[in-house]
Every structure is written in structure tokens, then in C-alpha cells.
Amino acid sequence: MIAIGADHGGYKLKEEIKKYLEEKNIKYKDFGTENEERTDYPIYASRVAEAIQKKECNLGILLCRSGYGVTVVSNKFKGIRAATIFNEEEAKFAKADDDINVITLGGDYLTTNEAICIIRNWLGTEFKGGRYAERLKMVEEIEEKNMK
């Protein structure tokens, strides 16, 4: 199950991504927003991150105008590994090397087709494990120490 959320700046692209997920029979839960009225990105980033922490969803997709704001917020949550992605290659490396569980996208910088290609590559890539898993273990230790 994928958690998806966006502020007003990512709303249109979020709605297009939902169509793609439906076409591919990929289950998702929409955490808002429901229109293009101005709102605050921390609300939606928090909802998506919490859904993953509670194991209601396995992965997340967040959108705002740049992708950066929702990245900052979601990375404040223990266990969340979020990255702003702008192309297919980044999507593959983010998943393969760092097991990124939340991708963030900039509604002002990506076309619908680009966003779908990013998502397809991210979902279609497996985490490598091995030395990369060892590094993620180090990240978890840092979280334990610094996220109280």
C-alpha cells in the first residue's frame, strides 16, 4: 500500500499519479489535499510519514511545488528515508542503494509522464542489501541516538 499526499502545489500532479496507480492496480491511500486551495505541506508530509511508521502503508509519495519541503518534514520521522527525485536514474539508485521508502516530487518541475516514469522505476527496483544494508543499519543507529 502506498501513502500519497500533496499540498496545493502538488495537487494536480498527485491526481494524475493516482490515475496511473489505479490503471496498474496499485493500492494507495490518499492523505490529501483535496483541491488547489493554499495549504501547508507539513500537514500532508506528516500524515504520510505517520502512516508508514504505523505500518498502514509500506511506501510513500509526497508532492509540493519543489519536493524539498515535504522531504525535510518526512525525514524528521524515525524510519523514514525520503528523497526528492527528478529522473528515472535517481529513482533506481534511491531504491537500490538507500532503500528510499518515500519519494518526493516537485509539481513545478515534473510533467505527469516524468513523474510516472520515476514512480515506475522506483517501484520496479529492488534494494541491493549487502553493504548497503550495513549502511542503513548505521543510519538506524544514528536515528536511535538523535531522534528521541
Side-chain angles (χ1 to χ4, degrees):
M1 174 76 73
I2 295 175
I4 189 168
D7 69 358
H8 58 284
Y11 172 75
K12 282 185 181 178
L13 187 53
K14 175 181 70 101
E15 294 303 303
E16 293 300 317
I17 291 168
K18 285 169 44 179
K19 290 176 189 174
Y20 167 76
L21 296 174
E22 289 166 7
E23 287 171 10
K24 297 298 180 184
N25 295 313
I26 299 170
K27 293 184 181 184
Y28 69 88
K29 184 173 181 183
D30 186 349
F31 287 89
T33 190
E34 301 305 323
N35 55 53
E36 291 183 84
E37 290 180 30
R38 196 206 72 75
T39 188
D40 301 309
Y41 65 84
I43 296 166
Y44 310 100
S46 295
R47 288 178 183 172
V48 166
E50 287 172 356
I52 294 168
Q53 279 187 325
K54 293 176 182 176
K55 302 197 185 315
E56 294 170 13
C57 298
N58 326 19
L59 300 170
I61 300 170
L62 284 165
L63 303 98
C64 63
R65 290 203 183 283
S66 66
Y68 297 127
V70 289
T71 300
V72 170
V73 173
S74 54
N75 277 322
K76 300 295 183 193
F77 288 79
K78 192 173 183 178
I80 301 300
R81 295 176 305 282
T84 307
I85 306 293
F86 288 101
N87 62 56
E88 297 172 50
E89 187 174 4
E90 289 177 337
K92 289 177 187 177
F93 282 113
K95 186 68 166 290
D97 294 356
D98 298 307
D99 203 19
I100 293 299
N101 57 6
V102 176
I103 58 168
T104 67
L105 305 172
D108 285 354
Y109 300 102
L110 297 170
T111 66
T112 299
N113 187 56
E114 290 168 333
I116 288 169
C117 287
I118 288 167
I119 292 165
R120 186 177 60 240
N121 280 281
W122 175 61
L123 292 175
T125 301
E126 294 292 324
F127 176 54
K128 291 178 185 173
R131 70 176 188 227
Y132 301 97
E134 293 170 16
R135 291 173 184 156
L136 287 184
K137 179 70 175 150
M138 294 170 71
V139 170
E140 289 171 8
E141 291 169 3
I142 292 168
E143 282 181 339
E144 287 298 322
K145 180 180 175 185
N146 295 298
M147 296 180 119
K148 307 215 186 286

